[in-house]
Amino acid sequence: MTEENLQRPPAEIRYADELARLRETDKGNRPPGWWLSLEAARRFIVGDERQGIRRKFVGDPSLIDRALVSLATSRGLLLVGEPGTAKSLLSELIAAAVSGTSTLTIQGGAATTEDQIKYSWNYALLVSEGPSPRSLVPAPMLRGMEEGKIVRFEEITRCPLEVQDSLLSLLSERVVAIPELGDANGMVFARQGFNVIATANTRDRGVNEMSAALKRRFNFETVFPIADFATELDLVEAEARGLLESSGVTVPPRRDVLEVLVATFRELRAGMTADGGSMDRLSAVMSTAETVSVAHAVGLRGWFLRGEAGTAADIVACLAGTAAKDDAEDLARLRRYLEQQAPRRRGEQWKALHDARHLLPG
């Protein structure tokens, strides 16, 4: 697999050069089955200017330390937090650093079955030959155990409880039983390096609450939103620039437009203006990930409709799809923000944001 023509290559392809450089120079002690030492894996995620390693996750470096140590034990790692706080990105980066691959992934949901977690069968071969290793179709968890790799389980709390609890023996005993084979192949034992990184967002807690027994198999780590405005702005600019380049846009996003966008998202997310005044808070998720998505849309709209970088007026046109997801009242709240809060701010782009409020639907 190469990066060419892929919309979103996995981390081990996007950062293949960095991973190779770290692996060549890695002199640290590696836990059994690990691709990199803990110290090298940490540098891959938080960056190292001396080696030309880019910073890929904006957050508390001590969180990375705790996460890596958890994975070096016999307990899984569960990343929890608000939607859009880069839990999935962090799990992908850790898996790429620890195992050299991040693609052993299970996407949790109401339709997820135990077959999609452990294994299923090639039914044509099963009928013609009976149960055999050849007719077995391993799912990510079985492959991770056989190969000694990290398995990522996205949105674990969206799975039915009985599906979640199918992980219990797997995480405690480190073995999968395949009773249909009934011979030496009927027990698959995990190799060194195997572990599980799961994610769950706090807005989904209670959808399918994890059992106490399953919680005991995980160490919990909370991923918080970015607190600093300048840090979030830099991240949004870097991510939006990369997305726009991959979409064929040859002009970079405007910094002044992104400043307005990030400030708008932060205030709508917190229900508080930059000067401490209270305002309506949107019920929709106004995360950094959503900010990047809107920044990408603003750039595309400006380039493909007018041949230029997007403006604050494009922000208004692109915000409606983000705001009107959970509650119809969010559009009214957004309109009030544009009418009441935007005029209080100085600058050409804030004026454009206010003047473009008519672009909101309804």
Side-chain angles (χ1 to χ4, degrees):
M1 187 188 299
T2 61
E3 188 169 355
E4 186 178 0
N5 294 326
L6 296 181
Q7 286 192 342
R8 190 187 181 282
E12 60 270 22
I13 293 179
R14 293 202 308 276
Y15 308 114
D17 292 344
E18 294 184 9
L19 285 168
R21 194 155 60 246
L22 283 167
R23 190 165 167 81
E24 288 172 4
T25 59
D26 188 8
K27 305 299 183 184
N29 296 319
R30 303 178 190 178
W34 280 40
W35 214 61
L36 293 174
S37 66
L38 269 73
E39 193 270 338
R42 182 185 190 275
R43 285 190 283 129
F44 172 68
I45 297 167
V46 303
D48 184 349
E49 292 184 4
R50 293 174 301 173
Q51 265 194 289
I53 307 298
R54 288 166 285 180
R55 185 183 188 184
K56 303 168 189 66
F57 175 76
V58 178
D60 185 359
S62 65
L63 166 64
I64 310 302
D65 295 338
R66 294 193 303 271
L68 292 171
V69 170
S70 291
L71 290 173
T73 71
S74 59
R75 297 165 69 88
L77 171 67
L78 182 61
L79 301 173
V80 299
E82 286 285 314
T85 50
K87 299 182 296 297
S88 295
L89 172 64
L90 180 56
S91 75
E92 180 186 1
L93 293 171
I94 293 175
V98 171
S99 298
T101 180
S102 63
T103 55
L104 293 176
T105 306
I106 302 160
Q107 181 60 55
T112 303
T113 64
E114 191 172 340
D115 289 354
Q116 294 170 318
I117 296 173
K118 295 181 178 179
Y119 62 89
S120 58
W121 298 94
N122 180 325
Y123 288 102
L125 285 174
L126 187 65
V127 169
S128 63
E129 300 179 358
S132 69
R134 210 163 80 91
S135 59
L136 185 72
V137 180
M141 201 64 72
L142 188 61
R143 286 188 55 200
M145 296 180 73
E146 288 180 322
E147 300 170 16
K149 305 288 188 184
I150 295 292
V151 179
R152 299 167 55 212
F153 201 133
E154 296 292 317
E155 302 289 1
I156 190 171
T157 53
R158 300 204 65 82
C159 295
L161 289 174
E162 60 271 17
V163 174
Q164 293 183 34
D165 281 349
S166 68
L167 298 176
L168 286 172
S169 62
L170 196 151
L171 289 173
S172 57
E173 306 298 331
R174 297 311 216 228
V175 63
V176 169
I178 309 175
E180 295 88 345
L181 295 181
D183 55 18
N185 296 310
M187 298 289 282
V188 177
F189 295 91
R191 293 182 179 274
Q192 294 282 17
F194 165 74
N195 214 327
V196 177
I197 306 176
T199 65
N201 75 65
T202 49
R203 292 208 178 195
D204 282 347
R205 278 191 171 177
V207 173
N208 289 302
E209 185 66 30
M210 294 174 67
S211 67
L214 186 56
K215 287 180 179 178
R216 287 196 297 270
R217 270 71 175 180
F218 286 99
N219 284 342
F220 282 57
E221 291 292 345
T222 301
V223 184
F224 293 99
I226 300 172
D228 180 63
F229 175 84
T231 301
E232 186 171 11
L233 176 60
D234 289 342
L235 175 63
V236 170
E237 183 175 28
E239 292 295 319
R241 186 187 299 269
L243 289 171
L244 289 169
E245 288 175 356
S246 67
S247 299
V249 178
T250 59
V251 295
R254 292 178 53 171
R255 179 83 173 185
D256 58 345
V257 172
L258 293 182
E259 287 176 354
V260 171
L261 174 62
V262 173
T264 297
F265 263 75
R266 290 174 68 89
E267 292 181 353
L268 291 171
R269 180 194 310 157
M272 183 177 295
T273 61
D275 58 7
S278 62
M279 51 170 278
D280 289 333
R281 180 178 184 271
L282 266 62
S283 62
V285 175
M286 305 298 286
S287 64
T288 303
E290 291 282 1
T291 312
V292 171
S293 178
V294 172
H296 184 204
V298 167
L300 291 177
R301 181 182 171 91
W303 178 251
F304 289 114
L305 293 183
R306 302 186 304 275
E308 62 184 25
T311 67
D314 295 306
I315 293 177
V316 178
C318 297
L319 260 178
T322 296
K325 289 182 180 180
D326 301 321
D327 185 350
E329 278 298 307
D330 277 345
L331 271 179
R333 297 183 185 108
L334 178 58
R335 190 182 301 278
R336 285 196 293 273
Y337 176 82
L338 298 177
E339 291 173 348
Q340 300 172 10
Q341 302 299 331
R344 300 173 58 189
R345 310 291 285 273
R346 294 181 180 179
E348 175 188 345
Q349 296 303 329
W350 282 104
K351 182 179 185 303
L353 191 75
H354 173 260
D355 293 344
R357 63 191 184 279
H358 67 277
L359 294 176
L360 288 177

